[in-house]
Amino acid sequence: MTKIGIILGSTRPNRKGPQVAQWVMDTASQRGDAEFELIDLRDHPLPHLDEPMPPMFGPSVHAHTRAWAERIAPCDGFVVVTPEYNGGVPGVLKNAIDHLCREWTDKAVGFVSYGVSGGARAVTQLRVVCGTLGMADVSPPVEVSLLTDFENHTTFTPRDHHVAALNKTLDQLIAWSAALAPLRAGAETAFVSS
């Protein structure tokens, strides 16, 4: 069965991300067409990229990067739950992405963003990064406003249009993850034989 990782892309104290990511997980878990798991970057503390060689050139020399790779590699696709910080993607999320290469390639990715303007600029940046890694990003993203979608600015209260957008994103994500499976299988064979 298709395996989708839901990546919580913030480690900031008092972050809003766990509520949003749990909503994604709860909604996704009601489906029967894929398995879902929550991947919290707090559980994978990575120093600022410290590998002596770029990840495209082979296995990591550091245990923390190898552990991160082992967590990401089995997934067929991802939902990235990201805040927008100062008009961009959180550094901790970009760093986590940059630690790996082939573990991302030929996989689908969808986005759930949150911020004052819904996190759209963070998603724009992530699409460029993910595309460079050979990932297929799906639309539409789910954009959550910190100003209107959190009751008393603290409790996430998704509205019907968020649920509809998330289900459409998940439909696309699962379909693309399945469509890309032959490319991933071919890449694994090529990697093992080289």
Side-chain angles (χ1 to χ4, degrees):
M1 182 173 280
T2 301
K3 184 173 184 178
I4 304 296
I6 300 168
I7 298 175
L8 174 48
S10 171
T11 59
R12 181 181 261 180
N14 302 318
R15 60 193 176 152
K16 304 270 194 276
Q19 293 180 65
V20 179
Q22 191 60 55
W23 167 71
V24 172
M25 182 69 182
D26 292 345
T27 303
S29 295
Q30 295 174 22
R31 303 170 66 98
D33 53 355
E35 295 175 14
F36 299 88
E37 68 173 303
L38 189 56
I39 302 170
D40 189 339
L41 291 185
R42 275 194 183 170
D43 298 332
H44 300 278
L46 296 165
H48 188 71
L49 189 57
D50 62 344
E51 294 294 334
M53 297 294 291
M56 67 176 15
F57 294 126
S60 168
V61 299
H62 296 300
H64 55 260
T65 304
R66 290 193 305 273
W68 177 234
E70 288 170 8
R71 185 69 193 270
I72 294 302
C75 295
D76 299 302
F78 303 94
V79 175
V80 176
V81 178
T82 182
E84 180 179 303
Y85 293 160
N86 300 318
V89 63
V92 68
L93 176 56
K94 178 68 164 68
N95 186 53
I97 292 169
D98 288 345
H99 267 77
L100 306 178
C101 184
R102 74 179 179 92
E103 291 81 4
W104 303 117
T105 303
D106 296 327
K107 296 182 180 181
V109 61
F111 302 101
V112 176
S113 60
Y114 58 97
V116 173
S117 60
R121 292 174 293 187
V123 170
T124 297
Q125 291 178 358
L126 285 168
R127 285 187 168 171
V128 172
V129 171
C130 291
T132 300
L133 288 166
M135 300 178 82
D137 69 86
V138 302
S139 292
V142 181
E143 297 175 352
V144 174
S145 170
L146 289 176
L147 301 177
T148 60
D149 298 321
F150 285 83
E151 187 176 320
N152 298 320
H153 300 286
T154 57
T155 305
F156 178 48
T157 52
R159 293 179 280 165
D160 290 345
H161 73 276
H162 292 122
V163 175
L166 177 58
N167 280 317
K168 183 164 184 166
T169 295
L170 293 172
D171 289 344
Q172 292 287 319
L173 181 65
I174 292 163
W176 276 97
S177 294
L180 293 169
L183 293 176
R184 290 192 301 278
E188 288 170 16
T189 305
F191 185 77
V192 170
S193 63
S194 60

